[in-house]
Amino acid sequence: MLSRVAETMYWLGRQVERAENAARVVAVNANLLLDLPKGIAPGWRPLVDITGANALFEEHYKDYDECHVVRFLLGEERNPGAVLSALAGARENCRTIRDIVPREGWEQINELYLYARDGLPKGLTKGGRHAYLSRVILGCQTISGLLSGTLLHDQGYDFIRLGRHLERADMTTRIVDVRSASLLPAETTELRPYATIQWVSVLRSMSAYQMYRRSEQVRVQRGPVLRFLFKSSAFPRAVNHCCERMRASLERLPRNEAALRVAGRLSRKLLGTEVQRLTQTELHRFVDELQLDIGDLHDEIARTWFPPRFGEGV
Amino acid sequence: MPIDWSDYPCDGLYDELLAAAGTARPFAAGLAADLARMGVDNLVARQEAAGVAIKEMGITFTVYSEEGGAIDRAWPFDIIPRIVPESEWRRVEAGLKQRVQALNLFIDDLYHDQKVVKDGVFPADVLDKSVNFRPQCIGVKPPLGAWAHVCGSDLVRDADGTLYVLEDNLRVPSGVSYMLENRLVTKRVFPELFEDYHPLPVDDYPSELFDTLAALSPRPGDYPEVVVLTPGIYNSAYFEHAYLAQQMGCELVEGRDLFVGEDDCVYMRTVDGPSRVDVIYRRIDDLYLDPEAFLPDSTLGVPGLLRAWKSGNVALANAPGAGVADDKVVYAFVPDIIRYYLGEAPTIANVPTYRCMDPEALAYVLEHLAELVVKPANESGGYGMLVGPASTKAERKAFAALVKADPRNYIAQPTLRLSTVPTLVGRRVEPRHVDLRPFILSADRQRVTTGGLTRVALRKGSLVVNSSQGGGSKDTWIVPDQGQGS
């Protein structure tokens, strides 16, 4: 497999995953706000905090009101984390490897991009948002399923999987970080009745609520939720699950020693930490470290398998 | 509302499907009746379905605009197929093989003994002025002696029904992927017509192309590593490059994916490390292929590629320098070239061509500019051309001066009234002008596409079939003469 193609597939995996995550985050926040009383509702700013794109946001928008944040996360073409930019990137990447991706895969990505672009005005209205986001999430899942069900499960697919799981692991840590640390700085008595709602919303943003109930069999509360989202090996959006999948993909690639070392370090850190016992400050620091490791893993993958002197594909 | 062919305005034109208003040609009678029965509403609905299919399948071509950069546009397609009876097609096919065989012998001769020049058939000064002659290729012996492995020749039919070759494209001809996709779209929107007609299939082209390329491998015996070399995603034919690579199961590479090793072999950069390449189907022009041999600042090519090719370690298709034979002045000599190398009369005629280098022809051309089409030797895409009947007096005057200053660089041809095919325009079926581009493959043996790409000028009266200038395309059906359905 060409190094350039490996890189393109990796980014394809990341961008489809990124579009899905961005859509999930918006959908769940909209839901959450309906359940919280006005005074303590965190509003829309945390969504931008999650993506870490505050500087870019503030460059273009005056304040973090709903309309601005939703536009920024769905349709702002200058924001590489926006649904539409991620899908445009995925489509462009897919276009350059049409000789590799089965035709149905390309058609699906093309169609989803066209839907996301043409349906955007509707998606930005309160009434049309739910349908728009559901369609995007479903479309991304369809693409992942289609690639899994039709693409050769060879090196190229491993690069898609690497991209997908790396992006997903990164996003899960970000969602937990923002939702637990900056959103509710302390679980004060006054907020306690709503804490459950908040954690439910964290779970929902990852379609994790039902799976959490089945797997943990305790009521929704901070400790078990953190343990589930970081350390579950069975839940596909848990950080640990993503790490295991990445290691499995890395195992199959040639010249994988260095990348496996970085991935191993990440896994050890994850499994060696009693995440449910961390204070919020400690949790925040822990997430920072994980994100640095995830960044290192990306760098190592790029160094080993991608073409020389080539910038990141958005 | 059924379609009434007696209203079809084809007087004074040669229409491919109708002999006259209300009268279909025998091989198209069934189709004309089917279309008439379907009616306009049904046709419009199917045209829309085709548009959706094209959008979904992502069949695109790239056009450039000042503000938007490269834009991907859906491929314009008209659903009414063009029919050619098989008996006529077999003759055309034989004529194309003859023509390309002679052109390959001609190119090989030019880079070796130049007998054709010594024998006075082809003038030395035409060769001297050719911008596509590559001195770097002198003496090179490409595998099987073939230079132009993929040729796209444009055929047109004049008002009297005569079929001519208008030009030969021997460098990086494109369009074949649209021929294949047009058939897929037609099958989607007109499935029942395929039950009545049995147009010969076109879809074996990718395997024929692969066999042609594989035959050139410098390492016979091994399974050859064939790659398609593209200038990249912003090239107008990128869709086709990706499509062909996909259909052949080959890697689609860009210049930066390849390098020439110290052993003068070509390698591609892969996840497993360097991997040897045997045959490159290059869709990059000669001058950008290798910065060491041609344009030094080209970033599309591969440094050292020409050296690897000359050492016989890699095959290039088409061979560098093959373009020497698609110059428009050379075109005028093709009938002589066929007679010289093959000792046969050309099966398909050239459009009658005045070579301005010949003083008598020059005088005639200058006198009749208003009736002629005058073309410079080495421009393509209709650039730098004078279309006499559509020109102003001032334009003709300016052009006359150009021709007089450099007669060798110009040829002139009578203005042809291209044949037409019924085309859905809004809610009417009207005649629109077409041409036909078949593709001819040459290596160990010759192969011709079944039919080719029919391009259609969608604007009324227009003769410009180019997709970037309002042209579209149609599916082309070669149908057996016997045993047609109703």
Side-chain angles (χ1 to χ4, degrees):
Chain A
M1 155 146 303
L2 290 175
S3 300
R4 176 176 54 82
V5 172
E7 179 172 33
T8 305
M9 297 189 93
Y10 170 83
W11 279 106
L12 174 61
R14 284 195 75 159
Q15 283 156 331
V16 171
E17 185 66 27
R18 188 176 285 179
E20 179 180 336
N21 287 332
R24 282 174 182 283
V25 164
V26 174
V28 166
N29 202 60
N31 246 324
L32 170 68
L33 294 189
L34 298 179
D35 285 336
L36 292 177
K38 263 221 160 67
I40 61 161
W44 290 86
R45 181 185 169 124
L47 271 60
V48 179
D49 298 343
I50 286 174
T51 63
N54 300 65
L56 183 71
F57 182 91
E58 283 158 24
E59 212 175 288
H60 299 292
Y61 298 95
K62 283 198 304 287
D63 52 57
Y64 287 89
D65 74 4
E66 172 172 357
C67 171
H68 291 157
V69 171
V70 172
R71 170 172 287 281
F72 182 73
L73 291 177
L74 298 189
E76 174 56 65
E77 52 190 52
R78 286 163 295 202
N79 173 17
V83 168
L84 197 57
S85 320
L87 288 177
R91 175 176 184 259
E92 204 63 8
N93 276 324
C94 190
R95 214 160 83 88
T96 70
I97 48 168
R98 284 189 60 177
D99 49 326
I100 303 213
V101 175
R103 164 173 221 141
E104 296 84 354
W106 156 252
E107 287 181 11
Q108 198 58 234
I109 289 175
N110 189 39
E111 215 181 290
L112 182 60
Y113 166 75
L114 294 176
Y115 171 83
R117 189 191 64 188
D118 300 342
L120 183 63
K122 245 193 168 152
L124 292 176
T125 64
K126 284 189 197 218
R129 187 158 61 204
H130 178 74
Y132 180 82
L133 294 173
S134 305
R135 171 76 177 76
V136 168
I137 293 168
L138 182 68
C140 292
Q141 293 273 350
T142 306
I143 291 164
S144 301
L146 219 145
L147 292 177
S148 153
T150 59
L151 193 64
L152 285 181
H153 283 211
D154 59 3
Q155 290 177 339
Y157 191 57
D158 276 319
F159 281 102
I160 289 188
R161 276 195 281 220
L162 278 175
R164 175 190 303 155
H165 289 113
L166 192 128
E167 180 77 23
R168 188 182 290 170
D170 181 65
M171 196 61 176
T172 298
T173 63
R174 283 170 190 274
I175 290 175
V176 172
D177 186 30
V178 171
R179 280 303 185 199
S180 68
S182 43
L183 189 76
L184 282 182
E187 292 194 38
T188 58
T189 20
E190 157 202 0
L191 292 178
R192 190 151 294 151
Y194 299 107
T196 304
I197 293 179
Q198 297 252 4
W199 285 112
V200 168
S201 104
V202 170
L203 289 172
R204 285 241 159 90
S205 64
M206 289 177 258
S207 293
Y209 179 68
Q210 214 181 331
M211 296 303 118
Y212 171 86
R213 300 304 301 231
R214 277 194 56 199
S215 141
E216 303 298 301
Q217 302 183 345
V218 291
R219 71 178 192 83
V220 175
Q221 51 184 321
R222 185 178 184 271
V225 169
L226 288 178
R227 198 177 55 217
F228 181 68
L229 290 180
F230 279 98
K231 296 174 92 162
S232 168
S233 147
F235 181 61
R237 311 194 83 80
V239 183
N240 185 35
H241 174 90
C242 295
C243 286
E244 286 178 2
R245 301 319 306 152
M246 285 195 280
R247 289 173 69 182
S249 291
L250 292 174
E251 293 279 1
R252 285 187 290 268
L253 293 173
R255 305 183 288 132
N256 57 4
E257 299 80 8
L260 270 175
R261 250 196 319 274
V262 180
R265 198 174 70 212
L266 178 60
S267 282
R268 276 195 306 280
K269 187 169 294 162
L270 193 58
L271 297 176
T273 306
E274 299 243 34
V275 64
Q276 65 276 22
R277 289 173 190 270
L278 298 181
T279 66
Q280 267 150 12
T281 322
E282 287 165 343
L283 179 67
H284 184 66
R285 198 178 311 131
F286 174 62
V287 164
D288 268 356
E289 285 172 21
L290 287 186
Q291 285 182 355
L292 285 178
D293 283 347
I294 290 172
D296 285 350
L297 181 55
H298 165 82
D299 291 344
E300 196 53 56
I301 290 171
R303 201 167 20 249
T304 309
W305 292 294
F306 298 165
R309 64 181 169 73
F310 195 67
E312 288 191 356
V314 190
Chain B
M1 191 176 64
I3 294 166
D4 185 357
W5 289 113
S6 55
D7 287 348
Y8 183 72
C10 61
D11 286 353
L13 300 169
Y14 184 97
D15 193 87
E16 299 281 342
L17 297 191
L18 278 84
T23 314
R25 296 185 187 280
F27 54 81
L31 178 67
D34 282 343
L35 294 176
R37 214 172 17 248
M38 269 180 208
V40 169
D41 293 330
N42 193 330
L43 277 186
V44 169
R46 288 175 199 246
Q47 178 73 50
E48 281 164 9
V52 171
I54 285 167
K55 215 172 157 192
E56 273 176 19
M57 290 156 82
I59 311 174
T60 58
F61 66 103
T62 312
V63 285
Y64 300 93
S65 73
E66 293 268 320
E67 67 279 16
I71 301 173
D72 222 12
R73 275 212 202 143
W75 176 245
F77 173 72
D78 179 79
I79 54 171
I80 302 177
R82 178 234 195 113
I83 296 186
V84 180
E86 189 178 358
S87 54
E88 179 181 28
W89 180 251
R90 293 300 165 211
R91 193 182 66 85
V92 171
E93 187 180 19
L96 291 168
K97 286 182 176 173
Q98 176 197 51
R99 191 171 175 99
V100 175
Q101 190 191 355
L103 287 172
N104 268 308
L105 291 168
F106 172 67
I107 301 166
D108 200 55
D109 189 15
L110 288 188
Y111 290 113
H112 293 96
D113 302 335
Q114 303 195 345
K115 291 199 194 95
V116 70
V117 179
K118 288 171 191 154
D119 289 343
V121 176
F122 189 75
D125 61 330
V126 174
L127 185 59
D128 290 344
K129 285 193 179 170
S130 167
V131 295
N132 289 318
F133 183 79
R134 306 266 170 260
Q136 295 92 333
C137 300
I138 290 172
V140 177
K141 290 192 188 308
L144 306 168
W147 292 72
H149 311 96
V150 183
C151 169
S153 292
D154 292 345
L155 301 175
V156 292
R157 201 196 292 277
D158 197 9
D160 65 359
T162 317
L163 205 60
Y164 297 103
V165 177
L166 182 64
E167 61 181 52
D168 305 291
N169 297 281
L170 298 168
R171 284 171 282 177
V172 288
S174 62
V176 75
S177 58
Y178 300 114
M179 171 189 91
L180 298 167
E181 295 283 82
N182 286 352
R183 177 60 56 86
L184 288 185
V185 174
T186 310
K187 282 182 179 167
R188 273 204 200 183
V189 300
F190 269 151
E192 67 272 47
L193 288 186
F194 284 78
E195 290 166 15
D196 294 341
Y197 285 85
H198 300 281
L200 301 181
V202 295
D203 50 13
D204 56 349
Y205 180 80
S207 35
E208 302 269 31
L209 177 61
F210 184 84
D211 291 348
T212 300
L213 296 169
L216 306 173
S217 172
R219 293 189 297 176
D222 287 353
Y223 189 77
E225 183 76 68
V226 177
V227 301
V228 179
L229 175 61
T230 173
I233 187 161
Y234 297 111
N235 185 272
S236 61
Y238 180 79
F239 168 83
E240 173 156 308
H241 307 160
Y243 182 89
L244 291 175
Q246 178 189 29
Q247 295 292 316
M248 292 194 289
C250 295
E251 294 288 359
L252 176 67
V253 302
E254 297 178 15
R256 60 199 162 106
D257 294 323
L258 301 179
F259 67 93
V260 177
E262 284 179 10
D263 53 1
D264 280 356
C265 292
V266 179
Y267 295 89
M268 55 183 169
R269 297 177 214 277
T270 77
V271 167
D272 298 285
S275 164
R276 169 101 187 253
V277 171
D278 297 303
V279 182
I280 301 177
Y281 178 35
R282 53 97 174 192
R283 298 291 299 256
I284 294 181
D285 280 326
D286 281 359
L287 293 178
Y288 299 92
L289 267 183
D290 177 357
E292 287 179 10
F294 303 113
L295 294 179
D297 47 0
S298 164
T299 54
L300 298 174
V302 185
L305 187 56
L306 200 77
R307 186 173 41 159
W309 175 65
K310 284 181 165 180
S311 322
N313 293 330
V314 71
L316 294 175
N318 290 350
V324 66
D326 84 4
D327 161 319
K328 293 197 172 52
V329 177
V330 172
Y331 165 87
F333 288 90
V334 173
D336 303 326
I337 288 170
I338 293 174
R339 281 186 212 99
Y340 177 74
Y341 290 103
L342 304 179
E344 299 168 3
T347 305
I348 317 177
N350 256 20
V351 177
T353 302
Y354 304 95
R355 308 163 187 159
C356 298
M357 56 190 294
D358 166 4
E360 254 175 67
L362 178 63
Y364 178 88
V365 168
L366 292 174
E367 205 132 299
H368 296 84
L369 275 182
E371 302 148 32
L372 299 170
V373 177
V374 190
K375 300 174 179 176
N378 287 305
E379 296 281 357
S380 65
Y383 293 105
M385 218 166 87
L386 178 84
V387 180
S391 63
T392 64
K393 208 165 177 187
E395 280 168 349
R396 290 197 292 274
K397 199 172 163 205
F399 218 84
L402 287 176
V403 176
K404 267 188 272 189
D406 187 10
R408 186 272 160 210
N409 196 36
Y410 291 91
I411 58 153
Q413 295 166 340
T415 315
L416 302 182
R417 266 182 303 157
L418 302 191
S419 63
T420 58
V421 177
T423 301
L424 189 62
V425 181
R427 297 186 47 81
R428 280 174 57 83
V429 176
E430 293 182 5
R432 289 291 184 269
H433 296 291
V434 295
D435 75 351
L436 177 62
R437 176 178 286 185
F439 295 83
I440 305 97
L441 299 174
S442 311
D444 50 339
R445 61 193 184 91
Q446 289 185 296
R447 305 154 167 100
V448 181
T449 49
T450 313
L453 177 66
T454 291
R455 297 186 296 177
V456 51
L458 294 173
R459 275 195 287 269
K460 188 168 188 162
S462 168
L463 298 171
V464 183
V465 294
N466 197 297
S467 52
S468 55
Q469 298 179 50
S473 72
K474 286 170 164 290
D475 193 10
T476 309
W477 289 5
I478 307 301
V479 295
D481 294 66
Q482 299 297 317
Q484 295 166 38
S486 55

